[in-house]
Amino acid sequence: MLVVLLAVVFAAVRLLPGDAASATSERGEGAAGVAARRHLLGLDRPVWEQFADWMTALPSGDLGTSARGERVDDLLAAPFPNTLLLGGTAFLLTVAAALALGCWASLRPGGAVDRLVTLTSTAAFALPEFVVSVGLLLVLSLWTDWLPAATVTGADGTPASWTMLVMPVLALTIPQTGWNALVVRAALADQAAAPHVEAAVLDGLPPARVLLRHALPGALPVMATGFATSTGMLLGGAVVVETLFNYPGTGTVLAGAVADRDTPVIAGVVACAGAAVSLVLLLADLIRARTTGARP
Amino acid sequence: MNLNRRQLLWAGGGMGVAALLTACGGDKESATSPAGDGGEPRRGGTLRVGALGRASAITRDPHGTQGNESDYLIISLVHDTLAAPGAKSNTVPRLASGWTSSPDLTTWRLTLAKGAAFHDGTPVTAADVVWSLRRLRRTPAGSARLPGIQEDNINADGEDAVVLVSDYPNAELPLLTRLTTFVLKKDTPDKEVAKAPGTGPFVLDWFRGGNARLVRNDRWHGGRVHLDAIEVTMFESPQAMTNALLSGQIDLASNAGAVAARTAAARKDLQVVRRPDDMAMPLVMRTDQGPFADPRVREAMKLVVDREAMVKQVLSGYGTVANDVLGTADPRYAKDIPQRTRDLERAGRLLKEAGFDFGRTYELVTTEDVPGLADSATLFAHQAREAGVKVEVVKQESGAFYEKTWLKGDFYTNYWGTNDSVVFFASKTMVTGAGQNEAQWSDKDFDAAYRKATAAADDTERATALHDLQKLEFERSGYLLWGMADGIDLAAAKVHGLPRLPGYGRVQLEGVWLSR
Amino acid sequence: MTAAAASPPGSPHPPRPDPRRALRALPALLLTTLALAGPLLAPHSVDTPVTAPYAPPGGAALLGGDQLGRDVLSRLLHGGSALAASALLVAVVVTAVAAVIGCFAVLSRRLGGLVERTADVAILLPAVLGVMLLAMAWPGGGRWTVVLAAVVLGVPYAVRVVAGAAAPLATAGFVEAAAAGGEHLTHLALREILPNLRAVVAVLFGLRFVEAVYVVSMAGFLQIGPQPPAADWALMIRENAGGILLNPWAVVAPSITIGLLAISVNLATTARPAAGARRGRPDVSTP
């Protein structure tokens, strides 16, 4: 699956106007110089050959060389863990918040809480990360000075203080929580119609207990898929959020690499991100298999 | 957010503040406190600097393709170039203490500074300089970095002098050694270049992901360094950098831009440093074919633009009006050429004479590479409409722009993040057959004036030729240069001795000190 | 918002015209009308500087000036129509395509497998990167690039949703009976299954619209699609982010309108906030 995606990435970058040799050239570099670097970077070879080379080196952990001659693994060594930290924190927070909100809303379908949660979730999910980021920046930092506005790293390449994580994490979490709260809410509503839940209700069990003991387990597979879907969105959102908060992660690397037509770097980021998402999907599948006995 | 910055390393010299402080539209704030106030420099402290850069474009090689201001800043504090941009003249000594030339201006001899040593204590020799210059010349962009100087014509002359022989007479040769002539130890292997000892005012403590810490070099040949250390943080966007400065996370935001300056202007605890003549953002009109081939059409466009409005709206007033001649801070810039102003009537007449097609819509291609560039195109399109010329702005992403439009398009915006000498721009962008002749301009009179200016040993003769050259550029070239943007750095009030030169002069932080 | 009374357990919800539905659709209608008629109401043209860059509200500009000193309010009134139209187009196309493919997918094992695989790949590709690559490969496309990218990236997920909802129907008695009766696959999918998914499709459309607003505005923010000097809400946020402290309205106003647009249309399409409209389903709660 990932291989297909990476091949698509290689082909797509090839379709873009310009290539790495010209995109990273200095003004003043003559055509001969660009041609020489094109050869140096192996851009004059067929795209499938470049892809094959890159893929064969991959298992040994070698991600190739960037258009500017830096090793891609060096370029990603510091940012990738940072993005995992950011994305992971946002993911856990999203799961917790979405479950809490979704369950709270389904205790009284159609009730005031349900409406409120549905409405705010829709609103939150409708707001792109950059809108949320700008709002957070304005309120929590620039007007009040409560939180540092940008991320500054220490000698080890990680954020110098945990307070720098708060806003980027929130910016990623809010839209995703909106989406997942709706998914959880819908999954639980579906479960409510299931015979064993109806039976539990007729037995006169308290709603909270029905929810936790009877409805939630059945809703797990749908919710797991929803959360897995979120992982990809989190990584996409990271591109914008990291740039706005100057968070030293892979999102910023990716944004720049696309501008530079830097195929090995783009592919490297996608490979890392893809691996992370695949892992979450695998977990989701395992949960589905455990709860339903087989893949639907 | 700026997803695709792409800088050029043609740093600017110039004469700095004294020159050309003409009226700035709508500017209420005074320029910053003069350098050297705050009394006697105090020793000690760590300066936290923010500089722009992209994680994907990090380059550690001093002779590599530096796209990041942050990388260039770090490299130029650790390593020395032979010469540097200066305030009084375009070029001042740095690792080279002086230079002399042969009467025909082809052979130049540069002497090394006394007591210059690498950070590990080894003295710098002519062999190190020759090796570094040759390494620089061998890079793909080498022919543009050291134009007219072949690799074999870079040689040592004893222990402390280097001789460069140019293919043609070049009165401005030392100018070429101001930017990227970083000197490393002879035979430094490519793998170790990133950590190689330099000769500069600071020693690299650590570097990680674009950020770095540098500590003072107590034995620097160039004089006393006051700061204990400099911490450089790389920022992807000017906004993030400004926000960090506003919330006190950094002490200096290098090249932050006009909007940031206005944001900071109201704050007592911050200072705004304006470096005039920092960035040219000309509109380029192709001269050999297309709708602008007729010089009357080009002149009309230069009369259509409302320069004051451009400076006021695009640069928020942080800039100066220009006169279609590049190199505004050059001591030899022709200030006596009358300033062109808006004249729609005359523009209309010229366009009619030239048989200009008013029915067509003309595309003006622009990029977002530097703040304000796309805005300038947008505003020009609006001003052109008042003259009955329909202009449509097309924004291209940086990579596509350099591939398709630059040097080829009929009508596009461009920028030079430097304010170099008049001769520099002439040789790079206007002489027939120049590698980056952006408007494809070819003018016999101009070429003759250029040849005279670079080969004349006599100073008066050169001055006359340079003046003729600028007059021709003003009248006929494909450049519409409406203004020059100030370079703007923001700093906390406690920072003193900040650099004031345009272009890459901003990296000279060795004189900075902090008051309590 | 008035709180709807929780329906008594076990009571069916016959599809009757609901006066509240009209109310729900009101904000969307208002906002859409405003977005489309905005240009007529704007006091200034979108590209004329009327004040200083980032001038605070007051005088000629009710919401102040943007980065070139143009009137924020006028640009706000001009900047919604294209975004709303693009998002609407994406939502309609994705929903329609997904509904049809989803219904077929549950009837054909091979197609079902293919849908699963495609969706898996689509999940691995961050939407932002997909839009970026597509936009660069087709730079002249403008808004159509974004619409295409949003459709391509949106369909796989949506198909999964439809297929998930249709799966129980495929094994339902009436469909099996029709299949046994020798009905054609197309007939089964479009005549037997699809009509029974009306509620799901309506909810899906609402969500897709929100998603489309998200993708289109994200693309606008990344400068893909709308080009200056065009006024566009997402573009305004990006262009004016630098001056947020000088004139917050230049950024805050378009942020609010983007949020409102998504919410109001979503309200209009969801008949009930609960994923209800399933006949005879009791609620989890006890009254």
Short mmCIF file of all heavy atoms in Angstrom, two decimals, chain B residues 380-429:
data_model
loop_
_atom_site.label_atom_id
_atom_site.label_comp_id
_atom_site.label_asym_id
_atom_site.label_seq_id
_atom_site.Cartn_x
_atom_site.Cartn_y
_atom_site.Cartn_z
N PHE B 380 -0.07 47.70 -8.72
CA PHE B 380 0.27 48.26 -10.03
C PHE B 380 -0.87 47.99 -11.02
O PHE B 380 -1.22 48.86 -11.82
CB PHE B 380 1.58 47.67 -10.58
CG PHE B 380 1.90 48.18 -11.96
CD1 PHE B 380 2.50 49.42 -12.12
CD2 PHE B 380 1.55 47.45 -13.09
CE1 PHE B 380 2.75 49.91 -13.39
CE2 PHE B 380 1.81 47.94 -14.36
CZ PHE B 380 2.42 49.17 -14.51
N ALA B 381 -1.42 46.78 -10.96
CA ALA B 381 -2.53 46.45 -11.86
C ALA B 381 -3.68 47.45 -11.68
O ALA B 381 -4.29 47.90 -12.64
CB ALA B 381 -3.02 45.04 -11.57
N HIS B 382 -3.90 47.79 -10.42
CA HIS B 382 -4.96 48.74 -10.12
C HIS B 382 -4.64 50.13 -10.69
O HIS B 382 -5.50 50.80 -11.27
CB HIS B 382 -5.15 48.81 -8.61
CG HIS B 382 -6.15 49.83 -8.17
ND1 HIS B 382 -7.49 49.68 -8.39
CD2 HIS B 382 -5.99 51.02 -7.55
CE1 HIS B 382 -8.12 50.73 -7.92
NE2 HIS B 382 -7.23 51.56 -7.41
N GLN B 383 -3.37 50.53 -10.56
CA GLN B 383 -2.98 51.85 -11.06
C GLN B 383 -3.01 51.89 -12.59
O GLN B 383 -3.35 52.92 -13.19
CB GLN B 383 -1.57 52.20 -10.56
CG GLN B 383 -1.53 52.44 -9.06
CD GLN B 383 -0.12 52.63 -8.54
OE1 GLN B 383 0.86 52.51 -9.29
NE2 GLN B 383 0.00 52.92 -7.26
N ALA B 384 -2.65 50.77 -13.22
CA ALA B 384 -2.64 50.73 -14.68
C ALA B 384 -4.05 50.87 -15.23
O ALA B 384 -4.25 51.45 -16.30
CB ALA B 384 -2.01 49.43 -15.16
N ARG B 385 -5.02 50.34 -14.49
CA ARG B 385 -6.39 50.42 -14.96
C ARG B 385 -6.83 51.88 -15.07
O ARG B 385 -7.62 52.24 -15.93
CB ARG B 385 -7.32 49.64 -14.05
CG ARG B 385 -8.60 49.26 -14.78
CD ARG B 385 -9.43 48.25 -14.03
NE ARG B 385 -8.60 47.30 -13.34
CZ ARG B 385 -8.78 46.97 -12.05
NH1 ARG B 385 -9.75 47.50 -11.38
NH2 ARG B 385 -8.00 46.09 -11.47
N GLU B 386 -6.30 52.72 -14.19
CA GLU B 386 -6.64 54.14 -14.25
C GLU B 386 -6.12 54.79 -15.53
O GLU B 386 -6.58 55.85 -15.94
CB GLU B 386 -6.07 54.87 -13.02
CG GLU B 386 -6.80 54.46 -11.74
CD GLU B 386 -6.08 54.94 -10.49
OE1 GLU B 386 -5.03 55.59 -10.62
OE2 GLU B 386 -6.59 54.66 -9.38
N ALA B 387 -5.13 54.12 -16.16
CA ALA B 387 -4.61 54.64 -17.44
C ALA B 387 -5.24 53.89 -18.61
O ALA B 387 -4.80 54.04 -19.75
CB ALA B 387 -3.10 54.50 -17.46
N GLY B 388 -6.23 53.06 -18.34
CA GLY B 388 -6.90 52.33 -19.40
C GLY B 388 -6.17 51.07 -19.84
O GLY B 388 -6.52 50.46 -20.84
N VAL B 389 -5.13 50.68 -19.08
CA VAL B 389 -4.39 49.46 -19.44
C VAL B 389 -4.87 48.34 -18.53
O VAL B 389 -4.83 48.46 -17.31
CB VAL B 389 -2.87 49.67 -19.26
CG1 VAL B 389 -2.12 48.40 -19.62
CG2 VAL B 389 -2.39 50.83 -20.12
N LYS B 390 -5.34 47.26 -19.15
CA LYS B 390 -5.86 46.14 -18.36
C LYS B 390 -4.72 45.19 -18.00
O LYS B 390 -4.13 44.58 -18.88
CB LYS B 390 -6.95 45.40 -19.15
CG LYS B 390 -8.21 46.24 -19.36
CD LYS B 390 -9.43 45.40 -19.61
CE LYS B 390 -9.73 45.16 -21.06
NZ LYS B 390 -9.95 46.33 -21.91
N VAL B 391 -4.43 45.08 -16.72
CA VAL B 391 -3.37 44.19 -16.27
C VAL B 391 -3.97 43.16 -15.33
O VAL B 391 -4.73 43.51 -14.43
CB VAL B 391 -2.26 44.97 -15.53
CG1 VAL B 391 -1.22 44.01 -14.96
CG2 VAL B 391 -1.59 45.95 -16.48
N GLU B 392 -3.64 41.90 -15.57
CA GLU B 392 -4.14 40.84 -14.69
C GLU B 392 -2.95 40.21 -13.97
O GLU B 392 -1.96 39.85 -14.60
CB GLU B 392 -4.87 39.79 -15.51
CG GLU B 392 -5.53 38.73 -14.67
CD GLU B 392 -5.91 37.49 -15.47
OE1 GLU B 392 -5.61 37.46 -16.69
OE2 GLU B 392 -6.47 36.57 -14.89
N VAL B 393 -3.03 40.11 -12.65
CA VAL B 393 -1.93 39.54 -11.88
C VAL B 393 -2.04 38.01 -11.87
O VAL B 393 -3.09 37.46 -11.59
CB VAL B 393 -1.96 40.05 -10.42
CG1 VAL B 393 -0.87 39.39 -9.60
CG2 VAL B 393 -1.80 41.55 -10.40
N VAL B 394 -0.94 37.35 -12.24
CA VAL B 394 -0.90 35.90 -12.19
C VAL B 394 0.18 35.52 -11.18
O VAL B 394 1.34 35.88 -11.35
CB VAL B 394 -0.54 35.30 -13.56
CG1 VAL B 394 -0.41 33.79 -13.45
CG2 VAL B 394 -1.57 35.69 -14.59
N LYS B 395 -0.23 34.81 -10.15
CA LYS B 395 0.75 34.45 -9.14
C LYS B 395 1.27 33.05 -9.41
O LYS B 395 0.49 32.12 -9.55
CB LYS B 395 0.13 34.52 -7.76
CG LYS B 395 1.19 34.60 -6.69
CD LYS B 395 0.62 34.46 -5.32
CE LYS B 395 0.16 35.76 -4.76
NZ LYS B 395 -0.20 35.65 -3.35
N GLN B 396 2.59 32.92 -9.51
CA GLN B 396 3.16 31.59 -9.72
C GLN B 396 3.89 31.16 -8.46
O GLN B 396 4.43 31.98 -7.73
CB GLN B 396 4.13 31.61 -10.90
CG GLN B 396 3.45 31.38 -12.22
CD GLN B 396 4.42 31.49 -13.38
OE1 GLN B 396 5.55 31.95 -13.24
NE2 GLN B 396 3.97 31.07 -14.55
N GLU B 397 3.92 29.86 -8.30
CA GLU B 397 4.67 29.32 -7.18
C GLU B 397 6.15 29.39 -7.59
O GLU B 397 6.48 29.34 -8.77
CB GLU B 397 4.10 27.92 -6.97
CG GLU B 397 4.75 27.04 -6.00
CD GLU B 397 5.82 26.24 -6.64
OE1 GLU B 397 5.74 25.95 -7.85
OE2 GLU B 397 6.74 25.94 -5.90
N SER B 398 7.00 29.58 -6.62
CA SER B 398 8.40 29.92 -6.88
C SER B 398 9.09 29.03 -7.91
O SER B 398 9.73 29.50 -8.84
CB SER B 398 9.18 29.88 -5.57
OG SER B 398 10.42 30.46 -5.73
N GLY B 399 8.94 27.71 -7.74
CA GLY B 399 9.62 26.79 -8.65
C GLY B 399 9.18 27.00 -10.09
O GLY B 399 9.99 27.04 -11.01
N ALA B 400 7.86 27.14 -10.27
CA ALA B 400 7.33 27.34 -11.62
C ALA B 400 7.79 28.68 -12.19
O ALA B 400 8.09 28.79 -13.38
CB ALA B 400 5.80 27.29 -11.58
N PHE B 401 7.89 29.68 -11.35
CA PHE B 401 8.30 31.01 -11.81
C PHE B 401 9.71 30.97 -12.40
O PHE B 401 9.96 31.48 -13.47
CB PHE B 401 8.24 32.01 -10.64
CG PHE B 401 8.79 33.37 -10.99
CD1 PHE B 401 8.01 34.30 -11.65
CD2 PHE B 401 10.09 33.72 -10.67
CE1 PHE B 401 8.51 35.55 -11.97
CE2 PHE B 401 10.60 34.96 -10.98
CZ PHE B 401 9.81 35.88 -11.64
N TYR B 402 10.63 30.34 -11.68
CA TYR B 402 12.01 30.32 -12.16
C TYR B 402 12.17 29.43 -13.39
O TYR B 402 13.06 29.64 -14.20
CB TYR B 402 12.98 29.92 -11.04
CG TYR B 402 13.22 31.09 -10.13
CD1 TYR B 402 12.53 31.22 -8.93
CD2 TYR B 402 14.08 32.11 -10.51
CE1 TYR B 402 12.71 32.33 -8.13
CE2 TYR B 402 14.26 33.22 -9.71
CZ TYR B 402 13.57 33.32 -8.52
OH TYR B 402 13.75 34.43 -7.74
N GLU B 403 11.29 28.46 -13.49
CA GLU B 403 11.36 27.57 -14.63
C GLU B 403 10.79 28.23 -15.88
O GLU B 403 11.35 28.12 -16.96
CB GLU B 403 10.55 26.30 -14.30
CG GLU B 403 10.63 25.21 -15.33
CD GLU B 403 11.95 24.47 -15.28
OE1 GLU B 403 12.78 24.76 -14.37
OE2 GLU B 403 12.16 23.62 -16.14
N LYS B 404 9.66 28.93 -15.72
CA LYS B 404 8.91 29.36 -16.90
C LYS B 404 8.99 30.85 -17.19
O LYS B 404 8.90 31.26 -18.34
CB LYS B 404 7.43 29.03 -16.70
CG LYS B 404 7.13 27.55 -16.70
CD LYS B 404 5.66 27.37 -16.40
CE LYS B 404 5.19 25.96 -16.64
NZ LYS B 404 3.85 25.79 -16.11
N THR B 405 9.04 31.66 -16.16
CA THR B 405 8.85 33.09 -16.37
C THR B 405 10.15 33.89 -16.31
O THR B 405 10.40 34.77 -17.14
CB THR B 405 7.87 33.65 -15.32
OG1 THR B 405 6.68 32.88 -15.37
CG2 THR B 405 7.55 35.10 -15.60
N TRP B 406 10.98 33.61 -15.32
CA TRP B 406 12.19 34.39 -15.11
C TRP B 406 13.06 34.35 -16.37
O TRP B 406 13.27 33.28 -16.95
CB TRP B 406 12.95 33.84 -13.91
CG TRP B 406 14.09 34.69 -13.48
CD1 TRP B 406 14.06 36.02 -13.20
CD2 TRP B 406 15.44 34.25 -13.27
NE1 TRP B 406 15.31 36.44 -12.82
CE2 TRP B 406 16.18 35.39 -12.86
CE3 TRP B 406 16.09 33.03 -13.39
CZ2 TRP B 406 17.54 35.32 -12.56
CZ3 TRP B 406 17.44 32.97 -13.10
CH2 TRP B 406 18.16 34.10 -12.69
N LEU B 407 13.54 35.50 -16.81
CA LEU B 407 14.37 35.64 -18.01
C LEU B 407 13.59 35.42 -19.31
O LEU B 407 14.12 35.62 -20.38
CB LEU B 407 15.57 34.68 -18.02
CG LEU B 407 16.50 34.69 -16.81
CD1 LEU B 407 17.63 33.68 -17.00
CD2 LEU B 407 17.09 36.07 -16.59
N LYS B 408 12.32 34.97 -19.22
CA LYS B 408 11.58 34.65 -20.44
C LYS B 408 10.31 35.47 -20.58
O LYS B 408 9.87 35.75 -21.69
CB LYS B 408 11.20 33.16 -20.45
CG LYS B 408 12.38 32.21 -20.38
CD LYS B 408 11.89 30.76 -20.54
CE LYS B 408 12.99 29.76 -20.29
NZ LYS B 408 13.20 29.47 -18.86
N GLY B 409 9.68 35.80 -19.46
CA GLY B 409 8.35 36.41 -19.53
C GLY B 409 8.35 37.80 -20.12
O GLY B 409 9.38 38.47 -20.20
N ASP B 410 7.16 38.24 -20.55
CA ASP B 410 7.02 39.59 -21.09
C ASP B 410 6.93 40.62 -19.97
O ASP B 410 7.36 41.76 -20.13
CB ASP B 410 5.72 39.68 -21.93
CG ASP B 410 5.88 38.97 -23.26
OD1 ASP B 410 7.04 38.82 -23.71
OD2 ASP B 410 4.86 38.56 -23.84
N PHE B 411 6.35 40.23 -18.86
CA PHE B 411 6.01 41.21 -17.84
C PHE B 411 5.94 40.49 -16.50
O PHE B 411 5.07 39.67 -16.29
CB PHE B 411 4.64 41.82 -18.21
CG PHE B 411 4.31 43.11 -17.49
CD1 PHE B 411 5.32 43.94 -17.00
CD2 PHE B 411 2.99 43.50 -17.34
CE1 PHE B 411 4.99 45.13 -16.36
CE2 PHE B 411 2.67 44.69 -16.71
CZ PHE B 411 3.67 45.51 -16.22
N TYR B 412 6.90 40.75 -15.62
CA TYR B 412 6.88 40.07 -14.32
C TYR B 412 7.57 40.89 -13.24
O TYR B 412 8.30 41.84 -13.53
CB TYR B 412 7.51 38.68 -14.41
CG TYR B 412 8.95 38.61 -14.89
CD1 TYR B 412 10.00 38.63 -13.98
CD2 TYR B 412 9.26 38.49 -16.24
CE1 TYR B 412 11.32 38.54 -14.40
CE2 TYR B 412 10.57 38.39 -16.68
CZ TYR B 412 11.60 38.42 -15.74
OH TYR B 412 12.89 38.32 -16.16
N THR B 413 7.28 40.55 -12.00
CA THR B 413 7.95 41.23 -10.90
C THR B 413 9.18 40.42 -10.53
O THR B 413 9.21 39.21 -10.70
CB THR B 413 7.08 41.31 -9.64
OG1 THR B 413 6.82 39.97 -9.20
CG2 THR B 413 5.78 42.01 -9.91
N ASN B 414 10.16 41.10 -10.00
CA ASN B 414 11.33 40.40 -9.53
C ASN B 414 11.87 41.13 -8.33
O ASN B 414 11.38 42.19 -7.95
CB ASN B 414 12.37 40.30 -10.64
CG ASN B 414 13.29 39.15 -10.36
OD1 ASN B 414 13.15 38.47 -9.35
ND2 ASN B 414 14.24 38.94 -11.23
N TYR B 415 12.90 40.57 -7.71
CA TYR B 415 13.46 41.26 -6.55
C TYR B 415 14.95 40.99 -6.47
O TYR B 415 15.43 39.96 -6.91
CB TYR B 415 12.77 40.77 -5.27
CG TYR B 415 12.96 39.29 -5.03
CD1 TYR B 415 13.96 38.82 -4.21
CD2 TYR B 415 12.13 38.36 -5.66
CE1 TYR B 415 14.14 37.46 -4.01
CE2 TYR B 415 12.31 37.01 -5.48
CZ TYR B 415 13.31 36.57 -4.65
OH TYR B 415 13.50 35.22 -4.46
N TRP B 416 15.66 41.94 -5.94
CA TRP B 416 17.07 41.75 -5.65
C TRP B 416 17.26 42.10 -4.19
O TRP B 416 17.15 43.25 -3.80
CB TRP B 416 17.95 42.62 -6.56
CG TRP B 416 17.97 42.09 -7.94
CD1 TRP B 416 17.12 42.40 -8.96
CD2 TRP B 416 18.89 41.12 -8.45
NE1 TRP B 416 17.45 41.67 -10.07
CE2 TRP B 416 18.53 40.87 -9.79
CE3 TRP B 416 19.97 40.43 -7.91
CZ2 TRP B 416 19.23 39.97 -10.60
CZ3 TRP B 416 20.66 39.54 -8.71
CH2 TRP B 416 20.30 39.31 -10.04
N GLY B 417 17.55 41.08 -3.40
CA GLY B 417 17.64 41.27 -1.96
C GLY B 417 18.99 41.82 -1.60
O GLY B 417 19.68 41.30 -0.76
N THR B 418 19.35 42.85 -2.26
CA THR B 418 20.66 43.40 -2.09
C THR B 418 20.58 44.76 -2.71
O THR B 418 19.77 45.00 -3.56
CB THR B 418 21.66 42.60 -2.91
OG1 THR B 418 22.79 43.42 -3.15
CG2 THR B 418 21.11 42.24 -4.27
N ASN B 419 21.43 45.64 -2.27
CA ASN B 419 21.50 46.85 -3.06
C ASN B 419 22.94 47.00 -3.44
O ASN B 419 23.71 47.66 -2.77
CB ASN B 419 21.01 48.05 -2.28
CG ASN B 419 20.95 49.25 -3.19
OD1 ASN B 419 21.11 49.11 -4.38
ND2 ASN B 419 20.72 50.39 -2.64
N ASP B 420 23.30 46.35 -4.48
CA ASP B 420 24.70 46.33 -4.87
C ASP B 420 25.02 47.55 -5.72
O ASP B 420 24.20 48.44 -5.87
CB ASP B 420 24.99 45.03 -5.61
CG ASP B 420 26.25 44.41 -5.04
OD1 ASP B 420 27.29 45.08 -5.11
OD2 ASP B 420 26.18 43.29 -4.53
N SER B 421 26.23 47.55 -6.27
CA SER B 421 26.65 48.72 -7.01
C SER B 421 25.93 48.80 -8.36
O SER B 421 25.40 47.81 -8.86
CB SER B 421 28.15 48.65 -7.25
OG SER B 421 28.44 47.50 -7.99
N VAL B 422 25.94 49.99 -8.92
CA VAL B 422 25.36 50.20 -10.24
C VAL B 422 26.00 49.27 -11.26
O VAL B 422 25.32 48.65 -12.09
CB VAL B 422 25.55 51.68 -10.65
CG1 VAL B 422 25.20 51.88 -12.11
CG2 VAL B 422 24.70 52.58 -9.77
N VAL B 423 27.32 49.16 -11.17
CA VAL B 423 28.05 48.31 -12.11
C VAL B 423 27.65 46.85 -11.97
O VAL B 423 27.51 46.13 -12.95
CB VAL B 423 29.57 48.47 -11.89
CG1 VAL B 423 30.33 47.40 -12.64
CG2 VAL B 423 30.01 49.84 -12.33
N PHE B 424 27.45 46.43 -10.74
CA PHE B 424 27.06 45.05 -10.51
C PHE B 424 25.77 44.72 -11.26
O PHE B 424 25.70 43.73 -11.98
CB PHE B 424 26.88 44.82 -9.00
CG PHE B 424 26.18 43.56 -8.65
CD1 PHE B 424 26.87 42.38 -8.49
CD2 PHE B 424 24.79 43.54 -8.50
CE1 PHE B 424 26.21 41.20 -8.17
CE2 PHE B 424 24.12 42.36 -8.18
CZ PHE B 424 24.84 41.20 -8.01
N PHE B 425 24.76 45.54 -11.09
CA PHE B 425 23.50 45.28 -11.77
C PHE B 425 23.65 45.36 -13.29
O PHE B 425 23.06 44.56 -14.02
CB PHE B 425 22.42 46.26 -11.30
CG PHE B 425 21.86 45.90 -9.96
CD1 PHE B 425 22.07 46.72 -8.87
CD2 PHE B 425 21.13 44.74 -9.78
CE1 PHE B 425 21.56 46.38 -7.62
CE2 PHE B 425 20.61 44.40 -8.55
CZ PHE B 425 20.84 45.22 -7.46
N ALA B 426 24.46 46.32 -13.73
CA ALA B 426 24.66 46.44 -15.18
C ALA B 426 25.28 45.17 -15.73
O ALA B 426 24.82 44.61 -16.73
CB ALA B 426 25.56 47.64 -15.47
N SER B 427 26.31 44.67 -15.04
CA SER B 427 27.03 43.50 -15.56
C SER B 427 26.18 42.24 -15.47
O SER B 427 26.24 41.38 -16.34
CB SER B 427 28.34 43.30 -14.79
OG SER B 427 28.04 42.93 -13.47
N LYS B 428 25.38 42.15 -14.44
CA LYS B 428 24.61 40.92 -14.22
C LYS B 428 23.33 40.89 -15.05
O LYS B 428 22.89 39.84 -15.49
CB LYS B 428 24.20 40.81 -12.75
CG LYS B 428 25.29 40.32 -11.85
CD LYS B 428 25.25 38.81 -11.77
CE LYS B 428 26.44 38.30 -10.99
NZ LYS B 428 27.68 38.35 -11.76
N THR B 429 22.68 42.05 -15.20
CA THR B 429 21.31 42.00 -15.69
C THR B 429 21.02 42.86 -16.92
O THR B 429 19.92 42.81 -17.44
CB THR B 429 20.32 42.46 -14.59
OG1 THR B 429 20.54 43.85 -14.35
CG2 THR B 429 20.52 41.70 -13.31
#
